[in-house]
Amino acid sequence: MLAKIKALHKTQLMGLLSIVAALLTLSLKFGAYFLTSSISLYSDALETFINLVAGFIVFFVVTIASKPPDEKHSYGHDKAEYFSSGVEGGLILIAAVSIVYMSIERLLYKHPLENLLLGVGVSTVASVINFGTAYYIAKVAREHDSITLEANAKHLMTDVWTSIGVASGLVIVYFLPPAWQILDPMIAIGVAVLILRTGIDLLRRSVDGFMDAALPADEIYDIESIIQGCITLPQQFTDLKTRKAGAKRFIELTLLLERKMTVEASHALCDKIEAAIAVRFPTAMIHIHVEPL
């Protein structure tokens, strides 16, 4: 069993880490909810349930995305990562709607809160686990340029901040008269709005990936600067196209060269440009079409 775990890719291990952390925090946060009957702690626990589902999705998706190209998928399987961010964003939207529904019900039919400080303490332990997990997954996401891990880390960090907000609000409620317990469902609605923004952002990024949106403006600027640094007048380039699939960037351009330039010299210049771009974007797949000026 240990040998199989060691054989997994680092991105896959992050999926397993996310699952284990979610199981721990889910137990703690639902425990805090049952101790207190707090709807805001329930909303916090529900978001953690999504973390658990997302952890399984992350493990499944990064396993597919890490597969090499084959006859049916000559460009690789990297786009599988966009399924993960899309599903996770959708789950977050469902959770937000559920939290708002429960909060409105609690506003209409009040329920006394109990053991608030104990519940907050249990929830805080869960937040510490989530923070450590999110920090480490975000680090690996940057190393491997993985949108799936990045989305997962962002979701976990959002969970941390919402937990801090919920805990702070409940501590305040604890020291206020019972009439102020109405703040509990209002805090939960605030949590719903916060995670709603995260869900929409993940869905947007997923759609951009499936629709082959161009690379960010700063990356395109870097690519253009690199190409300009490799060619000399009257050489030019045109028709630059870019897109991204998972960690891979796809770059296409047309290189306009002097008619007298030999095929060997043209090929050498293309190699030079590709090597220069690869220094900045190691996983880039570059296609250069050469035409005469």
Side-chain angles (χ1 to χ4, degrees):
M1 182 67 179
L2 287 174
K4 288 183 178 180
I5 292 175
K6 287 180 180 178
L8 294 174
H9 190 271
K10 198 170 184 179
T11 55
Q12 293 173 289
L13 290 174
M14 292 305 98
L16 289 179
L17 175 62
S18 180
I19 292 169
V20 172
L23 286 170
L24 285 172
T25 55
L26 188 65
S27 302
L28 289 168
K29 288 188 177 184
F30 269 112
Y33 163 64
F34 288 123
L35 280 170
T36 62
S37 298
S38 165
I39 195 65
S40 55
L41 284 177
Y42 170 81
S43 69
D44 201 17
L46 188 61
E47 188 181 0
T48 303
F49 177 75
I50 294 173
N51 292 347
L52 177 60
V53 176
F56 283 104
I57 294 171
V58 166
F59 181 75
F60 177 70
V61 166
V62 296
T63 300
I64 294 174
S66 63
K67 291 181 178 179
D70 54 38
E71 289 184 5
K72 283 190 174 182
H73 309 90
S74 54
Y75 289 98
H77 302 78
D78 301 84
K79 274 198 173 184
E81 294 210 20
Y82 296 116
F83 283 104
S84 174
S85 57
V87 171
E88 193 166 346
L91 288 172
I92 290 172
L93 295 186
I94 293 170
V97 172
S98 174
I99 291 167
V100 170
Y101 175 80
M102 293 280 292
S103 300
I104 292 173
E105 188 178 48
R106 186 58 62 88
L107 284 169
L108 295 174
Y109 307 101
K110 296 178 178 60
H111 191 285
L113 302 178
E114 303 171 342
N115 306 311
L116 275 185
L117 292 185
L118 179 59
V120 167
V122 173
S123 178
T124 301
V125 173
S127 296
V128 171
I129 294 172
N130 268 343
F131 178 82
T133 305
Y135 179 84
Y136 189 61
I137 291 178
K139 181 182 177 182
V140 176
R142 288 191 296 271
E143 289 175 2
H144 295 272
D145 197 15
S146 170
I147 184 177
T148 299
L149 294 183
E150 181 187 346
N152 192 236
K154 280 187 174 181
H155 187 191
L156 285 172
M157 195 56 74
T158 301
D159 194 4
V160 171
W161 289 114
T162 53
S163 297
I164 291 172
V166 167
S168 302
L170 289 178
V171 169
I172 293 171
V173 169
Y174 177 80
F175 291 103
L176 292 174
W180 285 90
Q181 289 190 2
I182 195 174
L183 287 175
D184 179 48
M186 294 177 71
I187 292 170
I189 291 173
V191 170
V193 172
L194 184 61
I195 67 172
L196 189 66
R197 291 180 58 189
T198 303
I200 292 172
D201 181 59
L202 289 177
L203 284 173
R204 179 188 58 78
R205 294 193 63 184
S206 182
V207 170
D208 282 348
F210 282 123
M211 296 299 290
D212 288 332
L215 295 178
D218 60 325
E219 294 189 8
I220 292 176
Y221 175 80
D222 288 346
I223 294 167
E224 291 175 338
S225 299
I226 290 168
I227 298 170
Q228 291 286 9
C230 293
I231 61 177
T232 56
L233 291 175
Q235 297 166 353
Q236 303 169 32
F237 75 94
T238 185
D239 200 24
L240 176 64
K241 295 185 180 72
T242 64
R243 67 182 179 92
K244 190 179 181 188
K248 287 182 182 174
R249 291 165 176 80
F250 294 83
I251 302 167
E252 299 178 22
L253 64 122
T254 298
L255 197 60
L256 304 177
L257 303 176
E258 304 95 315
R259 290 178 181 273
K260 64 181 181 180
M261 200 167 186
T262 64
V263 173
E264 184 179 3
S266 300
H267 182 71
L269 179 57
C270 290
D271 284 347
K272 179 182 177 182
I273 293 171
E274 289 174 2
I277 293 175
V279 172
R280 174 68 176 84
F281 304 106
T283 60
M285 296 185 71
I286 306 157
H287 178 77
I288 302 175
H289 176 65
V290 176
E291 287 188 1
L293 277 164

